[in-house]
Amino acid sequence: LQKWLKESGFRCRYAYTNEKGPFNEARAKNIGIRQASGDYVISTNADIIFEENFLLALDAAFDVFPGALMLCRRYDFEKDLVDYYGERGVEKLEELRTRNSTVLRSQSWVGDCQASSKKNFEEIRGFYEAVLGWGRLDNDLRNRMEDAGKKVFWLNPFTFIAHQNHEQDLEKTKREEERNQRVMDKKYADFRRNLDADWGQIRGKGT
């Protein structure tokens, strides 16, 4: 990835931390949040495609609601379509969105894209790093943002995102979701998590 970014010419920074243990999406995203130098942060995943006017819609929304948490409903593309179109899926986005097999997820599906000010993310101390693997992480962030008094604004119908379905170990995902739900069900003093001082910091050898 670092090599590809360097060759692409994009103004991006690749942050890497060589840590042992299970997959920790929250840690990875928090590192990005802490490293970010701008006023606003977008958190997303590698299997998401953004509609071409997404950033324009997001910028306009922040002009009106600068302190909000911005969310966006996603369309789910069937794995067979993703495999068939490959990189051409970006060009065929509108066509794929209207396929009968494509599903528009409800607002209960918070994952895949969250945008807010860096200040807001730091106030709640980012994504909860006790959540491991897949499941419940994004809903927890939304709930804590609302507990902290932040308004939620949905970017649809002004724009949309699309999720590219892929192979998943459904049994493992279910176990992770159940484990993470137990973490969510615990009692906490307030909306903050990751109370240790080094949350979102690169530990050990990293770049």
Side-chain angles (χ1 to χ4, degrees):
L1 180 59
Q2 191 171 23
K3 180 176 181 292
W4 176 81
L5 283 173
K6 185 176 181 180
E7 293 173 350
S8 71
F10 294 141
R11 293 177 58 193
C12 298
R13 180 183 176 189
Y14 171 59
Y16 173 78
T17 178
N18 186 22
E19 297 181 29
K20 305 296 183 182
F23 172 60
N24 193 329
E25 181 184 356
R27 281 274 305 139
K29 290 185 173 181
N30 285 345
I31 288 171
I33 291 167
R34 298 299 297 272
Q35 295 280 325
S37 59
D39 293 330
Y40 292 91
V41 175
I42 303 174
S43 170
T44 190
N45 298 326
D47 52 11
I48 295 300
I49 304 175
F50 290 83
E51 187 266 335
E52 62 178 347
N53 294 315
F54 178 88
L55 290 179
L56 290 174
L58 182 63
D59 186 57
F62 275 133
D63 280 344
V64 181
F65 306 108
L69 170 67
M70 303 295 177
L71 301 174
C72 192
R73 293 174 66 189
R74 82 183 198 198
Y75 288 89
D76 265 350
F77 292 166
E78 288 282 354
K79 181 181 179 300
D80 290 346
L81 288 176
V82 174
D83 292 341
Y84 177 77
Y85 282 100
E87 292 183 2
R88 292 180 299 135
V90 177
E91 303 168 5
K92 300 287 187 180
L93 197 58
E94 188 60 34
E95 176 186 330
L96 294 174
R97 183 170 75 102
T98 58
R99 289 287 187 104
N100 290 334
S101 61
T102 297
V103 177
L104 175 61
R105 296 299 183 185
S106 72
Q107 291 186 355
S108 63
W109 292 66
V110 180
D112 305 302
C113 178
Q114 306 86 22
S116 197
S117 68
K118 181 174 179 177
K119 180 181 177 182
N120 283 352
F121 278 108
E122 291 186 330
E123 181 180 345
I124 68 168
R125 303 181 74 81
F127 291 89
Y128 192 17
E129 295 180 14
V131 176
L132 303 176
W134 298 107
R136 305 296 187 266
L137 182 69
D138 304 313
N139 290 84
D140 174 67
L141 181 96
R142 172 190 177 175
N143 292 338
R144 291 191 292 117
M145 281 280 192
E146 290 186 306
D147 288 346
K150 317 307 177 188
K151 294 182 182 295
V152 170
F153 183 87
W154 290 88
L155 295 171
N156 316 79
F158 308 108
T159 187
F160 65 90
I161 59 176
H163 172 251
Q164 303 173 89
N165 277 331
H166 46 79
E167 293 288 351
Q168 280 187 297
D169 184 337
L170 297 180
E171 288 296 323
K172 180 182 178 183
T173 299
K174 182 180 178 181
R175 290 194 302 271
E176 290 173 341
E177 287 180 341
E178 291 173 348
R179 182 260 179 201
N180 290 335
Q181 187 60 55
R182 291 193 293 272
V183 173
M184 299 297 138
D185 290 340
K186 293 180 180 179
K187 299 295 183 181
Y188 298 94
D190 58 22
F191 51 79
R192 295 172 301 165
R193 302 292 185 270
N194 311 314
L195 299 181
D196 50 311
D198 67 342
W199 74 273
Q201 301 289 352
I202 294 177
R203 298 169 184 161
K205 187 177 180 180
T207 59

